[in-house]
Amino acid sequence: MPMPPPPDLAALSLPEILRLVEERRLPPVDQWNPAHCGDSEMRIARDGTWFHQGSPIERESMIRLFSTVLRREADGSHVLVTPVEKLSIAVEDAAFLAVEVKSDGAGAQRTLAFRLNTGDLVTADADHPIVVRGTADAPRPYLHVRGGLEALIVRAVYYDLAAMALADDADRPVPGLWSGGRFFSLGAPE
């Protein structure tokens, strides 16, 4: 069965985004515990490009499919898992990229919805926090996606968030934004 194309975030309303997030059915990878079979010979580069045996995977539908069986192990490693096999996959930074953001509301009533490079939609909230790592000179913002998997928020989206934070309250000592009833600092890295 072919994977559906990713949604156009800009064309969706917040209720539509929340409905799509709720309807998303992912395989129960956290319940699958087969024996480790080896290395998938796959890698997710820092820029979000997926590789197999050193060559980029060109088909977006394949990337979306593989992303649904991606899991982060307790030791921090990443695997592709099915009910019958588990294969290692190298992840250079984050498993996903947050490539687009849509804001609805303002202040404490704001909701931030992100589209990932795989087409998935994630809303920032208590279960999907935004954290900033790196240094003050080179901050690296991340969004928790699921099960320890994160999305690096790309620079253009981070700048959009920073502009929203400054527009909300330029006098706040630490810039940040509310989403899903929670405040997320965009300032100094953790």
Side-chain angles (χ1 to χ4, degrees), residues 33-184:
N33 293 302
H36 191 269
C37 302
D39 188 349
S40 68
E41 299 184 43
M42 294 176 67
R43 172 176 63 93
I44 303 173
R46 286 186 181 283
D47 69 358
T49 304
W50 287 58
F51 290 88
H52 181 253
Q53 296 181 335
S55 297
I57 298 174
E58 303 284 332
R59 293 178 54 196
E60 290 182 26
S61 61
M62 290 298 293
I63 293 168
R64 286 196 307 273
L65 178 63
F66 285 129
S67 75
T68 67
V69 294
L70 182 63
R71 180 172 82 190
R72 188 161 190 184
E73 300 288 81
D75 66 3
S77 66
H78 294 80
V79 294
L80 297 172
V81 64
T82 71
V84 296
E85 66 182 352
K86 182 184 343 180
L87 300 167
S88 299
I89 179 171
V91 178
E92 291 181 357
D93 186 1
F96 306 103
L97 297 177
V99 296
E100 186 178 1
V101 64
K102 181 169 186 164
S103 174
D104 186 73
Q109 304 307 311
R110 182 188 306 273
T111 298
L112 297 169
F114 295 85
R115 185 175 57 81
L116 307 183
N117 59 323
T118 55
D120 293 312
L121 300 175
V122 179
T123 56
D125 57 24
D127 293 329
H128 305 94
I130 298 169
V131 297
V132 180
R133 296 190 192 102
T135 65
D137 293 334
R140 295 193 58 84
Y142 295 88
L143 172 70
H144 177 75
V145 176
R146 65 178 182 271
L149 297 172
E150 294 180 316
L152 174 66
I153 298 172
V154 299
R155 187 175 309 239
V157 172
Y158 183 58
Y159 288 162
D160 290 344
L161 295 173
M164 286 182 233
L166 291 173
D168 271 4
D169 189 353
D171 295 328
R172 184 179 290 133
V174 177
L177 290 169
W178 287 87
S179 182
R182 183 160 173 210
F183 184 79
F184 300 104

Side-chain angles (χ1 to χ4, degrees), residues 5-50:
D8 177 12
L9 187 61
L12 297 172
S13 67
L14 181 61
E16 291 170 323
I17 292 168
L18 296 174
R19 180 183 53 77
L20 287 171
V21 168
E22 189 66 30
E23 289 175 355
R24 176 90 163 128
R25 301 287 182 246
L26 294 169
V29 297
D30 57 328
Q31 298 173 17
W32 297 339
N33 293 302
H36 191 269
C37 302
D39 188 349
S40 68
E41 299 184 43
M42 294 176 67
R43 172 176 63 93
I44 303 173
R46 286 186 181 283
D47 69 358
T49 304
W50 287 58

